[in-house]
Amino acid sequence: DGGITQSPKYLFRKEGQNVTLSCEQNLNHDAMYWYRQDPGQGLRLIYYSQIVNDFQKGDIAEGYSVSREKKESFPLTVTSAQKNPTAFYLCASSGLGGRYEQYFGPGTRLTVT
Amino acid sequence: DAKTTQPTSMDCAEGRAANLPCNHSTISGNEYVYWYRQIHSQGPQYIIHGLKNNETNEMASLIITEDRKSSTLILPHATLRDTAVYYCIVRVATKGNTPLVFGKGTRLSVIA
């Protein structure tokens, strides 16, 4: 099946620990994105990458880091510097060109206590 | 990207058409209108997009006014599974990709 996979679906961590969320796509898409969603709110952009080895900060990049070493993979690390890391994290990808729709993964729900 | 305005919530009877409005009065000539929906605790799902002509696919129809300042997403026969938050997004068409900017959307409740 073609699509975007995110793992794990639920993740629990202790405060002060870094945690890396996985995102893989087999759609041959050039661009990939990470969004964060808090309860009752819309999605907010954390980071995005248009090509391998390049990425840009979104609106709420502080406390997060990413890498894009392969076209298929765009992992997100939530560092201990992120003050409120508990949230629903969504990964997406799209082909080049603004008219191409974004496809989203199923999300990872991170809880930090 | 132009901003959009949507009602916070709407109800629709099962089997009836659901008409979801969106205002985008500052839209530019090269901006597309996209609609996505998000069922609870899932990733958003693409529904449809258009530039200036009306569009239809297996999920919905998109009606864009002639001046392009507003649009309506139509679900012709709403079912309980259509209960979701619907996002109207305006996006510049460029060579590279621009991320989608999500507002709070419209929470559609389909009622039996």
Side-chain angles (χ1 to χ4, degrees):
Chain A
D1 281 337
I4 301 174
T5 56
Q6 291 185 245
S7 59
K9 190 169 177 62
Y10 297 95
L11 190 54
F12 298 89
R13 280 294 183 271
K14 294 289 187 185
E15 197 173 321
Q17 292 179 334
N18 290 356
V19 58
T20 297
L21 310 184
S22 166
C23 178
E24 304 277 332
Q25 55 98 359
N26 61 3
L27 301 167
N28 199 31
H29 282 166
D30 290 286
M32 297 186 74
Y33 313 81
W34 274 105
Y35 294 87
R36 168 188 171 131
Q37 187 172 36
D38 293 288
Q41 303 297 312
L43 283 69
R44 292 185 291 168
L45 182 68
I46 305 173
Y47 269 99
Y48 68 103
S49 167
Q50 294 184 335
I51 56 172
V52 173
N53 292 323
D54 187 53
F55 47 82
Q56 287 79 40
K57 292 182 179 180
D59 300 319
I60 54 165
E62 185 175 349
Y64 299 98
S65 66
V66 294
S67 63
R68 186 89 188 276
E69 297 176 2
K70 298 187 299 182
K71 187 176 185 178
E72 313 81 62
S73 178
F74 191 40
L76 173 75
T77 297
V78 184
T79 75
S80 57
Q82 168 49 234
K83 293 186 178 6
N84 298 297
T86 295
F88 188 43
Y89 290 88
L90 287 153
C91 178
S93 71
S94 64
L96 283 179
R99 61 178 296 275
Y100 290 100
E101 58 267 27
Q102 286 186 8
Y103 293 88
F104 284 81
T108 292
R109 191 167 298 279
L110 173 65
T111 302
V112 177
T113 57
Chain B
D1 293 340
K3 287 191 67 174
T4 62
T5 304
Q6 299 178 253
T8 302
S9 63
M10 294 180 64
D11 292 337
C12 178
E14 189 178 20
R16 304 296 295 268
N19 297 287
L20 293 94
C22 179
N23 285 318
H24 32 79
S25 58
T26 60
I27 192 169
S28 301
N30 64 344
E31 290 181 314
Y32 286 82
V33 180
Y34 283 77
W35 283 85
Y36 281 74
R37 74 178 183 184
Q38 186 177 23
I39 296 169
H40 184 62
S41 294
Q42 296 183 23
Q45 176 190 21
Y46 164 81
I47 302 173
I48 199 167
H49 74 278
L51 184 62
K52 53 183 178 180
N53 297 323
N54 297 339
E55 302 287 345
T56 296
N57 63 21
E58 64 278 3
M59 288 182 68
S61 295
L62 174 60
I63 308 298
I64 302 174
T65 58
E66 195 167 337
D67 63 8
R68 301 187 69 238
K69 292 185 177 183
S70 65
S71 60
T72 300
L73 179 75
I74 301 172
L75 308 178
H77 305 287
T79 71
L80 298 177
R81 286 176 294 184
D82 292 321
T83 293
V85 177
Y86 287 77
Y87 297 99
C88 170
I89 299 166
V90 170
R91 185 183 186 191
V92 175
T94 60
K95 286 186 178 179
N97 265 309
T98 54
L100 296 172
V101 178
F102 288 82
K104 293 190 178 179
T106 296
R107 183 172 298 277
L108 175 68
S109 298
V110 180
I111 302 166

